[in-house]
Amino acid sequence: MTVCGCGAEFRGHGAGALCPACLIRLALEPDSPDHVPPFADEPSTRLLGPIGRGPHGTVYLAHRAFDEPNFVTVKVLNAPHLSDVFLESVRETSRRLGTMAPPDTSHLLEPGVTTDGQVYVVAKYIPGPSITDYVTRRHCNSLDRVRLGERVCSLVAGLHRHGITHGSIKSSNVIVVETPGGPLPVLLDTGIVPAINESRRRRDQVDGEGSATNGERTDVAALRTLLGTILEQAPFTTLEDAKSAAALAAILKR
């Protein structure tokens, strides 16, 4: 089964892995005020509608008429007054993500600012359920859950080796994609929260530089919380003693 961005499950792989209802909506539904703002200044991009909301903004599924990939997500941030520091930080994260192999993150394509001052980030659209929904729907056994947890920790460890802090590790930002080699976790929203925080720090003229070490510690603490959810138990003592994502992955791989 394939999971569409709207949450519907369907068989097969359509264009952009969208369900039939979303494809019909794309083909037949005229633009409306709900679809055009806040991205109306990109005429080749059409918003299909919101597929997620969080504390930092709304994520829209969108179709690009001429560019690849055709289907993308557009995260419109509700944080006002973000500076060029945010845009520069997201671009640098995107560049670093492009050097990773395999790129098991939703590729950040570009950030931007609309004519009415709303900041957005475009990313490659990757359909799939959240990791907690996946293990619940598939009735994953303990070993499968541990394997998924180990892969997530390995992904985060890879980010840290490339100098990237995720900043918002939670179930909704870790989706699972079915591949011929088995289920593959994919990270979403990589680096966006740290970029917001750095922009605000510069705006408020807070002394001191942002700490990558503190960011990694935040990621590791969030990983422990996520592992406690998908493993259906509180993280055991050895996980609590792990100081890095790589250490967490090594423990789960045993």
Side-chain angles (χ1 to χ4, degrees):
M1 299 292 287
T2 300
V3 180
C4 178
C6 69
E9 292 188 348
F10 66 103
R11 295 186 180 277
H13 299 276
L18 295 176
C19 70
C22 281
L23 288 174
I24 292 172
R25 179 181 180 184
L26 171 65
L28 300 179
E29 187 172 288
D31 287 333
S32 70
D34 290 337
H35 291 153
V36 180
F39 210 54
D41 42 310
E42 290 284 342
S44 66
T45 301
R46 178 183 177 190
L47 300 184
L48 301 181
I51 58 174
R53 289 184 174 88
H56 297 288
T58 301
V59 180
Y60 295 85
L61 181 64
H63 177 261
R64 284 180 155 179
F66 307 108
D67 299 329
E68 292 289 341
N70 292 123
F71 291 93
V72 296
T73 61
V74 179
K75 181 161 190 169
V76 181
L77 301 174
N78 55 22
H81 311 303
L82 289 175
S83 68
D84 290 342
V85 173
F86 172 83
L87 302 179
E88 293 167 4
S89 179
V90 172
R91 291 189 184 107
E92 176 61 18
T93 297
S94 178
R95 185 192 68 78
R96 293 185 182 186
L97 288 175
T99 67
M100 296 179 64
D104 297 328
T105 61
S106 179
H107 279 251
L108 302 177
L109 301 179
E110 72 266 358
V113 182
T114 64
T115 54
D116 59 357
Q118 290 180 291
V119 177
Y120 63 86
V121 179
V122 180
K124 180 180 178 182
Y125 169 64
I126 301 177
S130 72
I131 189 168
T132 51
D133 285 347
Y134 180 87
V135 297
T136 300
R137 293 177 183 177
R138 298 303 175 94
H139 304 288
C140 293
N141 59 35
S142 297
L143 180 58
D144 289 336
R145 290 169 182 257
V146 169
R147 285 173 175 166
L148 279 173
E150 183 271 325
R151 288 172 182 168
V152 173
C153 293
S154 295
L155 290 179
V156 177
L159 293 179
H160 292 173
R161 285 194 298 270
H162 284 74
I164 302 170
T165 299
H166 187 283
S168 186
I169 296 172
K170 55 187 178 180
S171 176
S172 59
N173 281 340
V174 184
I175 64 170
V176 179
V177 177
E178 291 285 5
T179 71
L184 178 71
V186 178
L187 301 175
L188 308 180
D189 277 7
T190 300
I192 292 179
V193 169
I196 292 174
N197 293 339
E198 179 64 10
S199 179
R200 287 173 172 168
R201 190 188 70 81
R202 298 279 189 91
R203 179 198 65 194
D204 297 337
Q205 298 182 337
V206 177
D207 292 334
E209 295 295 327
S211 170
T213 301
N214 289 338
E216 291 181 10
R217 288 173 180 166
T218 299
D219 281 352
V220 172
L223 277 174
R224 292 196 193 100
T225 300
L226 180 63
L227 290 172
T229 301
I230 64 175
L231 299 180
E232 294 186 316
Q233 62 183 26
F236 38 89
T237 304
T238 50
L239 291 186
E240 293 177 349
D241 293 339
K243 304 300 183 184
S244 68
L248 287 172
I251 292 170
L252 293 175
K253 200 170 184 178
R254 292 173 185 171

